[in-house]
C-alpha cells in the first residue's frame, strides 16, 4: 500500500483542489533564471533542456464493476481519470476527467451511477451511467482520503477516511438536491485510518482500521459498534480489505497476510488462516467461495467457506498490488495498480488473460517523479514512477516504460546496472542497461518497508540503504548490500524509534541521518540525530544531535573531510565528523529540501525550486531557479560524470542542466 501521497513524510501535495497542465513532450532548450557561482562568468548562465515528461503512465487505485463495464480511477495524474472498460469488447470506451484530487482509492457502483472517493482531498464524484455526466458532490468533512466506498442494499454509500479514521454515510436518495452526508464518527478512537468498508445484507457496516488493526461492526442507525477482530491480530498494521456475505465477514491484514473468517451470526466463531503472504489486498465472496489476492506474490487464492480449503489458483500479475476483485459469470476479474485488467477463468482450465489498459484506450499522463539516476555507458536517464520505470535513452531520443514491482524510492548505478530501493516491502532490484531486464537482488526483510535513501560506498562493493518500518511501527533499519554476492545484512533500530533517512560514507565509516517520522502514526522520538556506523565491525560508534530540534535528515554527503547535510525543515549543516562540531549552518534558499551530490569538486543541492551550490560555510549560491518540481518524494538529481550535466525535474518534466565550466 502506498498511502498517502507524499509518503507520510509530512509533505503536502500541491494543487489539491484542481487539475493543472503539465509541459508537453519535446526537447526544448530554455534558460531559467540563474545566479552564477564565483567560478562562472556573469554572462555564462546555465542552460536547461526540457526532455519531456519524466515518467509517463496510468497507475490506478479505485476499481469497481457495473453491469458489463469495469471502472478504474487513475492515481497521480492531473486531472484524475475515471475510465470505463467494456468487459465484452476489451476496450476502454470512456475517460472521464474528475475536477479535484489526485486520484481515487474508493469506487463503488449503485443505482445506475459510479462513485469515486478521492485523495488528497476527500471529495466524492459521481458518474451518471445513462448520461455520462460527472459531478462533484462535495468533501467529507476535512478528510484528505476517502479510502474505500461500499453500498448497502438500501442504496446508501459508506466511506472510510484518513486522517480522521471516520465512517461517513452518503444517501443519494435523500430529496432532489445534493445527497445527504452523515458523519458516523471515528471507527476506533485515536486511529487515523479506515482503510476498508463493507456493508452487510442487514445494513451493518464493517470498517477495517489502521495503523492498529481492528474490524468494527457499526449499526448506522443507532451508532452502536463493536470490534469483532480477534485481539491476537491487533498487532497487525491494517485490516486492509473486507467483504461480507449473508453468513460471513472475510477480512485480510497487513503485514502478516492473515485471512480472517468471521461468522456473522456469532462473531466469536472465527477462523484465522495464515497465508504466508504480506498483504491481503482485495477480497470478494461468490457463493461459498472467498476469492482474494495477496502480496508480495500477486497471487489469486480461493478459500472455501464451507470446508476451510485454501487453494492458490494463479498469479495473474506477479508482485502487483490488486485494487479489486469481482466475479462475473464464473470469471474472476481483477485490476492491478500498474493499470492492468486481468481475468481468471476456471472453466477454461484456469486461463489467465491480462490487458494493459493504456494499450486499449486508458489515457496516460505524466506522474509525479519518485527518483532519478543516470548511466553514462548507455546514455540513459531512469526516472522512478508508480510500479514503473521510465527509461530515457538520450542517444536514441526515445522514452519507454518498464514495469517494476513497486516504487523506486532511490536509485544508484552499480557496474552497468541501476539498483533500485523499492517500496513497498523494502525490495532491492536492478535494471540491466544491456538486457533491459529488471532482476531481484533481494529483500531487506524484518519490519523494513519504505526505503528512504541509498548510496554506493566506495570503492563500489557495498550499497548502503536507509529504510523506515511498516505502518504504525516506529523505527527503521540500515541495510548493507554486497553488490557481488547480493547478500543483505540488516541492522534494526540503531536509534530507538527512528528510521534511517539519509546515508553517506567515507573509508570504513557510514554516516547516517535519522528521522522520527512513523508511517500512519505520530512519532515517538523527539529529535533526529546523526550516527557514525563502523562498516568493519558493524557497530554504532557515535551519535550526534547536530541540529537541535531536527525531525529528520533528507540527505548527507561527505566531501573533503566535511559532512554536509540538509534536514526536513530545510536547515543546512556543515560539520566535522571527527570532532562532531558544526562549522556552518544555513537554510535552503527556496522550496522543499532535496538531495545533495558532489560534482566537479563542489557540493550541489536540489530543492523543489532551485539547484544551488552548497558552500563549506553552509551558505548557498543559487545556480538555477524556477524549477517548481512536482516530486512525489524529496527532490533528487543525477550527474553525468563525463559532461558534468545534471538531470532533475522541472514541473513533471525531466530536464538536463548544463553548467558552464
Amino acid at each position: 500500500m502506498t498511502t498517502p501521497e507524499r509518503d507520510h513524510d509530512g509533505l503536502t501535495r500541491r494543487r489539491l483542489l484542481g487539475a493543472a497542465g503539465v509541459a508537453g513532450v519535446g526537447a526544448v532548450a530554455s534558460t531559467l533564471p540563474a545566479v552564477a557561482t564565483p567560478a562562472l562568468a556573469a554572462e555564462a548562465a546555465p542552460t536547461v533542456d526540457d526532455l519531456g515528461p519524466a515518467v509517463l503512465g496510468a497507475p490506478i487505485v479505485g476499481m469497481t464493476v457495473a453491469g458489463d463495464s469495469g471502472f478504474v480511477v487513475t492515481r497521480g495524474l492531473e486531472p484524475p481519470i475515471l475510465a470505463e472498460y467494456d468487459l465484452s469488447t476489451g476496450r476502454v470506451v470512456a475517460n472521464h476527467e474528475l475536477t479535484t484530487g489526485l486520484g481515487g482509492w474508493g469506487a463503488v457502483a449503485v443505482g445506475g451511477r459510479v462513485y469515486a472517493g478521492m485523495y488528497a482531498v476527500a471529495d466524492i464524484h459521481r458518474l451518471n451511467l445513462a448520461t455520462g455526466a460527472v459531478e462533484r458532490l462535495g468533501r467529507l468533512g476535512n478528510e484528505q482520503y476517502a479510502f474505500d466506498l461500499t453500498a448497502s442494499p438500501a442504496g446508501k454509500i459508506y466511506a472510510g477516511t484518513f486522517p480522521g479514521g471516520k465512517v461517513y454515510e452518503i444517501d443519494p436518495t435523500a430529496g432532489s438536491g445534493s445527497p445527504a452526508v452523515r458523519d458516523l464518527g471515528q471507527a476506533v478512537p485515536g486511529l487515523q485510518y479506515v482503510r476498508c468498508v463493507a456493508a452487510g445484507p442487514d445494513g451493518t457496516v464493517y470498517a477495517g482500521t489502521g495503523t492498529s488493526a481492528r474490524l468494527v461492526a457499526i449499526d448506522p442507525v443507532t451508532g452502536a459498534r463493536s470490534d469483532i477482530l480477534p485481539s491476537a491480530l491487533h498487532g497487525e498494521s491494517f485490516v486492509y480489505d473486507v467483504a461480507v456475505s449473508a453468513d460471513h465477514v472475510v477480512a485480510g491484514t497487513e503485514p502478516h497476510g492473515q485471512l480472517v473468517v468471521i461468522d456473522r451470526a456469532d462473531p466469536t466463531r472465527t477462523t484465522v488462516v495464515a497465508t504466508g503472504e504480506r498483504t491481503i489486498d482485495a477480497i470478494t465472496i461468490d457463493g461459498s467461495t472467498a476469492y482474494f489476492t495477496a502480496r508480495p506474490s500477486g497471487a489469486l487464492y480461493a478459500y472455501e467457506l464451507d470446508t476451510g480449503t485454501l487453494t492458490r489458483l494463479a498469479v495473474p500479475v506477479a508482485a502487483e498490488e490488486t485494487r479489486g476483485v469481482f466475479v462475473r459469470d464464473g470469471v474472476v476479474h481483477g485490476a492491478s495498480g500498474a493499470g492492468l485488467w486481468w481475468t481468471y477463468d476456471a472453466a477454461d482450465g484456469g486461463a489467465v488473460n491480462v490487458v494493459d489498459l493504456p494499450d486499449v484506450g486508458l489515457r496516460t499522463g505524466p506522474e509525479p517523479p519518485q527518483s532519478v539516476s543516470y548511466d553514462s555507458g548507455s546514455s540513459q536517464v531512469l526516472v522512478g514512477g508508480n510500479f514503473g520505470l521510465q527509461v530515457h535513452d538520450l542517444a536514441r531520443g526515445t522514452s519507454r516504460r518498464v514495469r517494476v514491482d513497486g516504487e523506486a524510492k532511490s536509485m544508484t548505478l552499480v557496474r552497468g546496472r541501476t539498483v533500485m530501493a523499492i517500496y513497498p516491502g523494502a525490495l532491492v532490484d536492478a535494471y540491466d542497461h544491456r538486457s533491459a531486464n529488471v532482476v531481484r537482488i533481494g529483500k531487506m526483510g524484518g519490519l523494513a518497508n519504505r526505503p528512504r535513501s541509498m548510496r554506493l560506498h566506495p570503492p563500489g562493493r557495498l550499497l548502503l540503504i536507509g529504510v523506515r518500518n511498516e505502518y504504525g511501527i516506529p523505527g527503521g533499519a540500515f541495510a548493507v548490500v554486497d553488490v557481488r554476492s547480493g547478500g543483505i545484512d540488516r541492522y534494526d533500530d540503531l536509534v530507538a524509534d527512528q528510521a534511517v533517512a539519509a546515508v553517506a560514507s567515507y573509508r570504513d565509516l557510514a554516516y547516517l541521518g535519522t528521522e522520527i517520522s512513523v508511517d500512519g502514526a505520530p512519532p515517538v522520538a523527539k529529535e533526529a540525530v546523526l550516527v557514525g556506523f563502523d562498516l568493519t565491525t558493524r557497530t554504532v560508534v557515535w551519535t550526534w544531535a547536530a541540529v537541535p530540534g531536527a525531525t529528520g535528515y533528507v540527505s548527507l554527503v561527505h566531501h573533503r573531510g566535511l559532512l554536509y547535510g540538509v534536514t526536513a525543515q530545510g536547515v543546512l549543516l556543515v560539520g566535522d565528523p571527527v570532532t562532531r562540531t558544526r562549522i556552518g549552518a544555513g537554510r535552503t534558499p527556496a522550496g522543499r529540501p532535496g538531495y545533495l551530490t558532489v560534482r566537479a569538486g563542489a557540493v550541489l543541492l536540489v530543492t523543489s525550486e532551485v539547484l544551488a551550490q552548497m558552500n563549506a560555510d553552509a551558505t548557498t549560491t543559487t545556480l538555477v531557479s524556477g524549477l517548481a518540481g512536482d516530486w512525489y518524494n524529496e527532490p533528487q538529481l543525477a550527474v553525468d560524470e563525463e559532461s558534468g550535466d545534471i538531470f532533475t525535474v522541472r514541473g513533471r518534466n525531466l530536464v538536463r542542466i548544463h553548467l558552464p565550466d
Side-chain angles (χ1 to χ4, degrees):
M1 178 181 68
T2 312
T3 55
E5 290 292 280
R6 294 305 192 199
D7 291 349
H8 283 307
D9 294 328
L11 308 175
T12 303
R13 297 278 303 165
R14 298 187 303 110
R15 300 192 298 271
L16 299 185
L17 298 176
V22 180
V25 178
V28 182
S30 64
T31 300
L32 295 181
V35 177
T37 69
L40 299 177
E43 66 274 9
T47 58
V48 181
D49 297 327
D50 191 318
L51 303 178
V55 55
L56 280 169
I60 61 174
V61 273
M63 180 260 199
T64 192
V65 170
D68 293 327
S69 293
F71 295 85
V72 296
V73 189
T74 60
R75 172 187 194 178
L77 307 190
E78 295 184 297
I81 301 297
L82 172 60
E84 180 178 358
Y85 174 65
D86 189 309
L87 299 178
S88 58
T89 66
R91 301 290 304 179
V92 172
V93 296
N95 287 282
H96 301 280
E97 293 185 359
L98 306 180
T99 57
T100 64
L102 292 163
W105 279 93
V108 69
V110 62
R113 290 166 172 79
V114 174
Y115 295 80
M118 310 301 291
Y119 75 92
V121 55
D123 281 351
I124 304 296
H125 291 263
R126 178 169 65 186
L127 167 66
N128 187 315
L129 295 178
T131 67
V134 179
E135 59 181 325
R136 172 183 174 270
L137 301 181
R139 183 176 182 178
L140 301 178
N142 292 317
E143 300 296 309
Q144 298 173 15
Y145 279 62
F147 254 124
D148 197 15
L149 301 179
T150 190
S152 73
K156 294 182 179 180
I157 298 164
Y158 295 90
T161 68
F162 168 90
K166 293 183 176 183
V167 175
Y168 284 82
E169 179 187 82
I170 305 162
D171 187 354
T173 66
S176 57
S178 299
V181 177
R182 200 160 59 99
D183 181 349
L184 301 184
Q186 273 196 313
V188 176
L191 296 185
Q192 292 184 292
Y193 286 85
V194 171
R195 184 61 188 79
C196 56
V197 287
D202 62 351
T204 300
V205 178
Y206 298 88
T209 70
T211 53
S212 180
R214 303 289 190 277
L215 182 58
V216 182
I218 302 172
D219 185 328
V221 177
T222 67
R225 61 196 64 202
S226 60
D227 178 18
I228 61 173
L229 190 73
S231 59
L233 297 179
H234 287 178
E236 291 287 277
S237 294
F238 286 95
V239 169
Y240 201 91
D241 200 23
V242 61
V244 186
S245 68
D247 300 320
H248 297 94
V249 180
V250 181
T253 72
E254 180 185 82
H256 293 107
Q258 304 293 316
L259 185 73
V260 188
V261 181
I262 301 172
D263 189 313
R264 287 192 66 242
D266 181 6
T268 63
R269 297 178 58 188
T270 299
T271 301
V272 178
V273 181
T275 66
E277 300 275 8
R278 176 181 179 272
T279 305
I280 295 176
D281 51 13
I283 307 171
T284 192
I285 301 174
D286 183 55
S288 61
T289 304
Y291 295 95
F292 66 93
T293 55
R295 287 182 281 123
S297 70
L300 171 68
Y301 293 83
Y303 180 82
E304 298 302 327
L305 296 168
D306 293 340
T307 65
T309 303
L310 178 66
T311 304
R312 179 166 162 153
L313 301 174
V315 182
V317 186
E320 273 280 351
E321 293 183 348
T322 304
R323 304 311 188 196
V325 286
F326 298 86
V327 179
R328 289 291 183 272
D329 300 323
V331 177
V332 182
H333 293 256
S336 298
L340 308 171
W341 191 280
W342 53 262
T343 57
Y344 169 85
D345 189 349
D348 189 19
V352 173
N353 184 55
V354 181
V355 176
D356 193 332
L357 292 176
D359 289 346
V360 296
L362 177 61
R363 187 186 303 174
T364 62
E367 298 179 42
Q370 305 224 16
S371 54
V372 64
S373 180
Y374 178 72
D375 171 40
S376 61
S378 62
S379 296
Q380 291 179 343
V381 185
L382 272 55
V383 183
N386 190 277
F387 280 81
L389 181 71
Q390 199 77 20
V391 180
H392 299 263
D393 192 316
L394 303 184
R396 292 182 172 87
T398 61
S399 178
R400 64 187 181 89
R401 185 180 178 91
V402 175
R403 196 179 76 84
V404 297
D405 294 341
E407 302 168 2
K409 296 301 187 183
S410 190
M411 300 190 289
T412 192
L413 185 69
V414 183
R415 299 182 178 183
R417 302 193 302 175
T418 293
V419 178
M420 301 172 283
I422 290 180
Y423 165 90
L427 307 175
V428 183
D429 287 359
Y431 174 80
D432 189 298
H433 289 268
R434 289 193 179 90
S435 67
N437 293 324
V438 176
V439 297
R440 175 67 37 80
I441 294 175
K443 181 179 179 181
M444 296 179 217
L447 294 171
N449 187 38
R450 185 185 300 279
R452 300 292 291 123
S453 63
M454 175 169 57
R455 294 279 185 179
L456 181 63
H457 175 61
R461 295 178 179 176
L462 300 177
L463 270 173
L464 312 178
I465 306 174
V467 64
R468 192 186 292 173
N469 276 345
E470 293 278 2
Y471 279 77
I473 302 174
F478 174 56
V480 180
V481 183
D482 187 315
V483 299
R484 295 166 298 182
S485 68
I488 301 177
D489 296 323
R490 190 188 72 251
Y491 303 93
D492 295 329
D493 300 321
L494 298 180
V495 178
D497 300 321
Q498 301 199 36
V500 175
V503 179
S505 66
Y506 179 67
R507 292 183 176 171
D508 293 329
L509 201 63
Y511 303 103
L512 313 178
T514 70
E515 65 178 354
I516 66 173
S517 297
V518 181
D519 277 347
V524 175
K526 302 301 182 184
E527 184 179 70
V529 298
L530 296 176
V531 176
F533 184 87
D534 191 308
L535 292 169
T536 301
T537 63
R538 302 293 175 93
T539 57
V540 172
V541 293
W542 52 256
T543 60
W544 176 25
V547 179
T551 60
Y553 287 85
V554 172
S555 187
L556 297 171
V557 296
H558 185 278
H559 181 57
R560 293 177 177 170
L562 298 177
L563 188 63
Y564 292 71
V566 55
T567 74
Q569 294 104 315
V571 175
L572 300 178
L573 161 76
V574 179
D576 183 335
V578 176
T579 62
R580 265 98 63 202
T581 56
R582 285 204 300 181
I583 294 172
R587 299 285 307 184
T588 51
R592 187 155 54 87
Y595 276 24
L596 299 165
T597 194
V598 177
R599 171 198 176 272
V603 176
L604 298 184
L605 161 72
V606 70
T607 75
S608 58
E609 297 296 330
V610 305
L611 174 70
Q613 178 173 310
M614 184 174 170
N615 304 312
D617 59 357
T619 61
T620 60
T621 305
T622 297
L623 306 175
V624 176
S625 61
L627 292 177
D630 193 17
W631 288 90
Y632 191 100
N633 307 309
E634 292 87 356
Q636 299 187 20
L637 74 171
V639 176
D640 180 346
E641 298 294 346
E642 295 180 1
S643 69
D645 288 349
I646 297 155
F647 298 93
T648 188
V649 167
R650 177 175 62 184
R652 291 191 178 185
N653 280 20
L654 178 66
V655 293
R656 174 172 49 201
I657 300 173
H658 177 72
L659 301 177
D661 293 332

